[in-house]
Amino acid sequence: MQLPSAELTAAELDLRAQVRAFLAERLPAGTFEPGLGMGAPVDPAFSAALAERGWVGMAVPAVYGGPGATAVDRFVVVEELLRWGAPVGQHWVADRQIAPVLLRFGTEYQKQWLLPRICRGEVCFCIGMSEPDAGSDLAAVRTRGVRTDGGWRVSGTKVWTTNAMAADYMIALCRTGDMAQGTRHDGLSRFLIDMRSPGVTVEPILYLDGSTGHFAQVVFDDVTVSDDLVIGEIGQGWAQNTSELAFERSGPDRWISTFLLVQEFIREHPQLAAGVAGRRLIGEQAAQYWVLRRLSLAVARAIDAGETPAAEAALIKEMGTRFEQDVVTALQDLLDRELICDLDPAHPPSLFERLLRRAVLDAPSFTIRGGTTEVLRSVAAKGLT
């Protein structure tokens, strides 16, 4: 695997300094509850402020309201936002996935209607892929779109849908043709669905501790979707979906979700961090962060060069999400104590403890979202041989 240089230019370093200054002013440390990577809270006001600086929908051309920035510029901004634990939930999916999909497959009407709103941070999206009993096998999708006069009627269930509770729209992968033997990838299409349409029911999925996470189950009961909300060609959903996943797998969100844990561990447990075991743990994690960061940045450079590094992106996602989980396990082992719920309001858990508890609950999903470890290894092996 050969990838281009991963060094930042002077202009990119200047952009990073601007983002850091903005975050320090807008979200001073200690004044907000940081999130873990892309699972951070939804904050429309923050996303709007970010959009005013041209840092939402960065890849969108000026004709549709964006700055037309590079993939590396977006990498720089995203890395700083996630490292800070910023509340990116409002614009995250729209910025990372929906805007590129519309630019590549959307109609002119869809681009004119949605892209400027995405660039202003006004709309929140979710992605409808996974389904009950289908696991990570997207070719087993059973949510069906049935042709009607002037549109489609969609019925079925999506599950593990991130931010469905707050989303304005979903891009849903649906079966619009027959699933004949050996052609399961055929007959899949994607629709833009208004989450407030009659027949849409969103059911939050509770975590083991009883809290509401960012996942939900979404049920469609004869939801009407007009023809102008079809993404691209009917029957081309699988090809679109594959193209989209190839690029979303390599970003900083695939290896930086638990970065704040290490940072807060050092702050709250300086003596433990300075011990032999603590220094070894921090050193090993810093080395892996550096390798993953350079690989991820190199893929962004390749995308800017017009390449399609799908196998490389899959490899980075596989390595990165396993590493995110390893960070959580390593810190738990080093602390060597159980995480219990504090019932004494006079002694609330520290920021590190709150982040660690959240990470323990979120970590199992890291190696599932965006493709399981097994699927990614298959993609990487086929593409790099």
Side-chain angles (χ1 to χ4, degrees):
M1 180 174 69
Q2 293 184 340
L3 291 169
S5 170
E7 299 298 327
L8 294 178
T9 66
E12 291 157 357
L13 289 171
D14 180 63
L15 173 61
R16 184 174 71 179
Q18 293 177 43
V19 179
R20 288 181 175 179
F22 166 79
L23 290 171
E25 178 183 355
R26 180 85 188 190
L27 297 172
T31 65
F32 74 107
E33 184 74 11
L36 290 174
M38 58 181 165
V42 172
D43 186 339
F46 175 80
S47 293
L50 203 66
E52 287 179 3
R53 288 156 177 79
W55 296 338
V56 176
M58 294 183 69
V60 177
V63 67
Y64 298 120
T70 66
V72 174
D73 285 342
R74 184 181 180 277
F75 176 98
V76 170
V77 172
V78 167
E79 182 181 31
E80 293 305 311
L81 292 174
L82 300 185
R83 182 184 66 82
W84 200 262
V88 298
Q90 164 74 10
H91 69 270
W92 180 260
V93 172
D95 175 81
R96 184 183 70 175
Q97 289 167 264
I98 307 304
V101 165
L102 291 176
L103 285 170
R104 185 167 182 181
F105 301 108
T107 64
E108 188 61 24
Y109 163 74
Q110 292 166 355
K111 294 174 184 177
Q112 295 282 359
W113 168 46
L114 285 172
L115 288 175
R117 298 175 67 193
I118 289 174
C119 293
R120 293 193 297 266
E122 292 178 355
V123 286
C124 184
F125 271 84
C126 61
I127 301 290
M129 293 187 189
S130 299
E131 296 189 1
D133 303 320
S136 292
D137 183 10
L138 287 182
V141 160
R142 291 184 294 181
T143 295
R144 179 165 288 278
V146 178
R147 198 76 173 89
T148 63
D149 184 19
W152 301 80
R153 298 190 74 83
V154 176
S155 295
T157 302
K158 297 294 181 180
V159 74
W160 308 118
T161 306
T162 301
N163 270 355
M165 297 82 77
D168 300 298
Y169 300 98
M170 173 193 284
I171 283 190
L173 183 66
C174 303
R175 188 159 295 284
T176 52
D178 293 333
M179 188 167 62
Q181 183 67 29
T183 59
R184 296 192 310 146
H185 296 169
D186 297 334
L188 292 170
S189 307
R190 297 209 293 179
F191 300 113
L192 274 166
I193 298 178
D194 187 331
M195 293 295 284
R196 291 162 183 79
S197 299
V200 177
T201 302
V202 180
E203 304 167 344
I205 297 174
L206 298 181
Y207 280 12
L208 290 173
D209 65 351
S211 65
T212 302
H214 50 271
F215 295 121
Q217 176 171 278
V218 182
V219 178
F220 301 114
D221 184 9
D222 262 355
V223 177
T224 299
V225 180
S226 61
D227 278 331
D228 57 8
L229 298 183
V230 175
I231 302 293
E233 301 278 339
I234 288 293
Q236 295 301 307
W238 181 263
Q240 293 178 24
N241 209 69
T242 302
S243 170
E244 174 186 326
L245 285 172
F247 295 105
E248 64 125 312
R249 286 169 170 165
S250 63
D253 44 296
R254 297 306 183 184
W255 44 267
I256 207 170
S257 297
T258 50
F259 178 88
L260 276 172
L261 277 178
V262 181
Q263 181 175 285
E264 292 304 318
F265 165 71
I266 295 171
R267 287 175 177 168
E268 293 190 18
H269 299 277
Q271 292 184 328
L272 188 56
V276 174
R279 293 200 308 271
R280 181 183 300 114
L281 181 147
I282 294 167
E284 290 174 352
Q285 291 177 349
Q288 291 187 70
Y289 273 124
W290 187 248
V291 169
L292 288 165
R293 180 182 182 276
R294 290 181 67 84
L295 288 171
S296 183
L297 181 53
V299 166
R301 288 254 185 256
I303 292 172
D304 283 336
E307 301 173 21
T308 308
E312 292 84 352
L315 182 62
I316 292 168
K317 197 274 181 185
E318 194 276 340
M319 295 168 60
T321 51
R322 278 194 299 112
F323 170 62
E324 288 181 317
Q325 292 177 337
D326 291 344
V327 170
V328 179
T329 302
L331 287 172
Q332 284 185 286
D333 291 343
L334 187 59
L335 287 171
D336 194 27
R337 60 182 173 84
E338 292 294 327
L339 293 174
I340 60 174
C341 294
D342 290 302
L343 302 178
D344 184 359
H347 299 89
S350 67
L351 175 57
F352 169 68
E353 291 171 329
R354 297 196 302 273
L355 289 173
L356 183 56
R357 291 175 185 181
R358 180 54 52 183
V360 169
L361 293 171
D362 284 352
S365 71
F366 294 166
T367 49
I368 299 174
R369 60 193 187 192
T372 64
T373 297
E374 293 76 14
V375 168
L376 293 166
R377 288 176 180 174
S378 177
V379 171
K382 291 177 182 177
L384 297 176
T385 54

